[in-house]
Amino acid sequence: MELQNFIDGKWTSNDELQTIPVVNPANSEQLASVPLSTKQQVEEAVAAAKKAQKSWALTPAPKRADYLYEIGHKLKEKKEYLAQILTKEMGKVIEEARGEVQEGVDMAFYMAGEGRRLFGETTPSELADKFAMSVRAPIGVVGLITPWNFPIAIATWKSFPALVAGNTFIWKPATETPMMAFEMAKIFEEVGLPAGVANIVFGAGSTVGTELIEHPDVKVISFTGSTETGSKIAELGGRHLKKISLEMGGKNAVIVMEDADLQLAVEGIIWSAFGTAGQRCTACSRVIVHKDVKNKLEQMLVEEISKLTIGDGLDPTIKIGPVINGAALEKINHYVQVGKQEGATLLVGGKSLTSPPFNKGFYFEPTVFTNVKNDMDIAQEEIFGPVLSIIEVASLEEAIEVNNSVKFGLSSSIFSQDVNKIFKAQRDLDTGIVYVNAGTTGAEIHLPFGGTKGTGNGHRDSGQAALDVYTEWKSIYVDYSGKLQRAQIDTEN
């Protein structure tokens, strides 16, 4: 299967482009080939998006929303088909893949509802016979750069609010997981989205991504990925005065207090730490546990981890699939060795799985370190794999301090049955998302998604807040007094 760019409503030829294989991380089987586009393809896509944007912006927002309703129905209709492809190209287990497609369905219907809202504000004027209001206006052409770990959900978080707000876009998906973008392009075509409104250009970040960031006709860049790459995008985009929305890394923690329901906490930790093989920006990679329950919690964790099944995610009995590729395995292995050298105690796991039936894929055991000190690299740096560090504390205040000590601020969680502790924690935890008696994952599409510090730059995906990325506020004053009235000067007349 050879994937093609989707530009100006048409599928383009790859005859002059280099292609690379798309590989199933569960067994190294080649699934497709994806083109490595050049500056020329980006130029064509931007020109198409720019040409289409004015008429798209003039299309009434409820009519724009109708396309999103149709897209949502198509996603729902194809849910199982898309989930199967998602599991094959990314590796996450089929149950999670279905959930991710459902997230796209939910986002389509939610943002379609914004077609009859897109609320601005009306306010009283300080002058007589004068009307004051603010409205949202589309910005223009948007560049979307999405990661491999959630190849459909994150794309819908970005593209659907952009569309309903009246923008057109160019989407550069990750080369590791391009098949979902190809399938989304087919859906855009099936629902009759006008040519040039949605464009998909495959390729490397160093070429396609950089060209989008530097192109003068691309007014907004929305990126999800590593903090290192996001920082470079912010720097480069800042030179061109673009609006840059960044959702980056995390070093998320579950706090377990001495009064917690430990069984519930264990369930939340395992789902958060080892779901998607730990390859989530919201994954739990630290457990900050009160000293009175640390040993008991560890025993329960080890017991539950021993029940986890590892393998090809298409098998519905499997709970943990592969990591994305060999480079990810090397990185995870590196941090496990670092943890040992730093003096942490390996409680369970700690190695790649290389014997049959795992030898053709990229598998890593669920891994837990205990006796971890807060200044260790494994407690501070994002590993992006199934590796968990347990840090002991003596109080809620210490737990919050440890949680906030990392450079990231995406997600945090507290397990407690004390309402006073819970309210202090949700106030003082320096993260964009806080969970109470749940793990660090499970965001819903109608609330803002994003974080503080090294996780982001103040913008949010998902929810109504996402519209702020793709719109400008326009203030409008209508004076029907028939005379010149000067604000702040003629207010006494």
Side-chain angles (χ1 to χ4, degrees):
M1 181 182 185
E2 186 174 274
L3 308 184
Q4 296 174 302
N5 291 324
F6 186 70
I7 299 173
D8 202 17
K10 298 182 288 290
W11 300 99
T12 65
S13 169
N14 296 337
D15 290 346
E16 298 179 1
L17 296 177
Q18 178 187 352
T19 62
I20 58 173
V22 182
V23 174
N24 184 336
N27 54 27
S28 297
E29 173 191 353
Q30 181 171 338
L31 302 171
S33 61
V34 61
L36 296 178
S37 301
T38 67
K39 180 178 179 179
Q40 179 182 342
Q41 285 74 49
V42 178
E43 289 282 359
E44 292 170 359
V46 173
K50 184 178 181 182
K51 180 180 177 182
Q53 197 273 323
K54 185 174 181 180
S55 60
W56 180 245
L58 292 175
T59 302
K63 296 296 183 184
R64 298 196 297 260
D66 285 344
Y67 287 101
L68 288 184
Y69 282 121
E70 290 190 49
I71 291 168
H73 286 298
K74 286 288 184 183
L75 287 169
K76 191 172 184 178
E77 174 188 314
K78 297 184 176 187
K79 181 175 176 177
E80 185 61 26
Y81 168 75
L82 294 172
Q84 296 273 334
I85 294 174
L86 201 163
T87 290
K88 288 178 182 178
E89 73 167 346
M90 188 272 152
K92 65 178 60 177
V93 299
I94 189 65
E95 181 182 39
E96 292 184 56
R98 292 177 185 132
E100 181 174 346
V101 178
Q102 184 62 45
E103 197 160 356
V105 174
D106 296 343
M107 182 58 74
F109 293 151
Y110 177 82
M111 278 300 163
E114 287 299 324
R116 291 189 180 273
R117 292 187 291 265
L118 288 175
F119 294 137
E121 295 179 331
T122 60
T123 66
S125 172
E126 65 185 40
L127 296 167
D129 297 326
K130 186 177 179 182
F131 185 80
M133 64 180 173
S134 63
V135 298
R136 290 185 184 272
I139 299 177
V141 177
V142 172
L144 309 177
I145 303 173
T146 58
W148 50 260
N149 61 333
F150 282 85
I152 188 168
I154 292 175
T156 65
W157 294 356
K158 299 176 186 297
S159 61
F160 292 173
L163 288 176
V164 79
N167 304 280
T168 56
F169 68 81
I170 301 97
W171 171 18
K172 191 211 86 66
T175 53
E176 294 90 347
T177 55
M179 295 174 70
M180 295 310 297
F182 185 72
E183 294 297 331
M184 281 298 298
K186 290 196 287 187
I187 290 174
F188 295 151
E189 185 179 41
E190 288 172 17
V191 303
L193 202 63
V197 170
N199 305 274
I200 287 123
V201 179
F202 298 108
S206 57
T207 51
V208 174
T210 300
E211 181 61 25
L212 283 174
I213 297 161
E214 293 188 326
H215 201 292
D217 290 330
V218 178
K219 304 302 183 183
V220 180
I221 294 290
S222 182
F223 166 83
T224 296
S226 72
T227 300
E228 179 184 8
T229 301
S231 297
K232 293 177 182 177
I233 289 172
E235 181 180 355
L236 186 57
R239 297 177 195 165
H240 300 277
L241 299 179
K242 294 183 188 293
K243 180 183 279 191
I244 306 291
S245 173
L246 304 173
E247 200 286 296
M248 302 178 289
K251 191 66 179 175
N252 314 294
V254 168
I255 295 172
V256 182
M257 297 310 299
E258 70 273 25
D259 62 340
D261 179 336
L262 292 187
Q263 185 57 49
L264 181 61
V266 166
E267 291 174 9
I269 291 165
I270 287 190
W271 169 240
S272 300
F274 304 126
T276 322
Q279 299 171 117
R280 297 171 174 152
C281 54
T282 56
C284 169
S285 59
R286 298 180 295 156
V287 171
I288 304 169
V289 59
H290 193 279
K291 60 184 178 62
D292 290 351
V293 294
K294 174 178 178 286
N295 291 340
K296 179 62 174 176
L297 182 75
E298 289 177 351
Q299 292 170 9
M300 295 173 69
L301 276 172
V302 170
E303 181 179 349
E304 290 302 313
I305 288 169
S306 70
K307 301 175 186 177
L308 296 175
T309 51
I310 305 172
D312 189 330
L314 288 176
D315 180 344
T317 67
I318 295 298
K319 297 301 181 184
I320 301 179
V323 298
I324 190 66
N325 53 30
L329 275 183
E330 289 179 13
K331 180 182 178 183
I332 297 164
N333 266 312
H334 165 75
Y335 274 106
V336 168
Q337 300 313 311
V338 167
K340 292 177 180 178
Q341 292 165 10
E342 290 180 316
T345 303
L346 187 62
L347 198 60
V348 66
K351 59 182 183 297
S352 303
L353 297 174
T354 56
S355 59
F358 306 109
N359 55 314
K360 293 184 178 180
F362 308 104
Y363 297 93
F364 203 90
E365 293 180 320
T367 298
V368 180
F369 280 101
T370 188
N371 301 324
V372 176
K373 303 301 181 186
N374 192 42
D375 59 354
M376 291 180 178
D377 286 350
I378 60 169
Q380 292 289 320
E381 298 179 13
E382 186 176 40
I383 300 172
F384 223 65
V387 179
L388 184 65
S389 295
I390 297 178
I391 303 170
E392 179 184 310
V393 294
S395 66
L396 173 65
E397 290 72 23
E398 184 183 0
I400 292 171
E401 183 180 353
V402 169
N403 179 87
N404 294 349
S405 68
V406 296
K407 63 184 177 182
F408 303 106
L410 180 52
S411 182
S412 58
S413 159
I414 180 169
F415 283 84
S416 173
Q417 299 183 69
D418 184 329
V419 68
N420 297 319
K421 291 176 182 174
I422 287 168
F423 271 84
K424 286 178 182 178
Q426 66 187 38
R427 179 194 66 193
D428 296 339
L429 290 168
D430 188 6
T431 55
I433 305 169
V434 176
Y435 293 91
V436 176
N437 292 324
T440 57
T441 65
E444 300 179 35
I445 58 90
H446 47 287
L447 288 180
F449 183 93
T452 62
K453 300 185 290 188
T455 291
N457 64 337
H459 296 292
R460 293 292 185 267
D461 285 328
S462 198
Q464 192 180 58
L467 295 168
D468 291 335
V469 176
Y470 305 105
T471 56
E472 295 282 14
W473 283 109
K474 181 182 291 187
S475 297
I476 300 170
Y477 301 95
V478 181
D479 193 321
Y480 51 96
S481 67
K483 59 184 179 182
L484 176 64
Q485 298 190 95
R486 299 170 298 172
Q488 294 90 41
I489 296 175
D490 296 330
T491 54
E492 297 180 2
N493 293 341

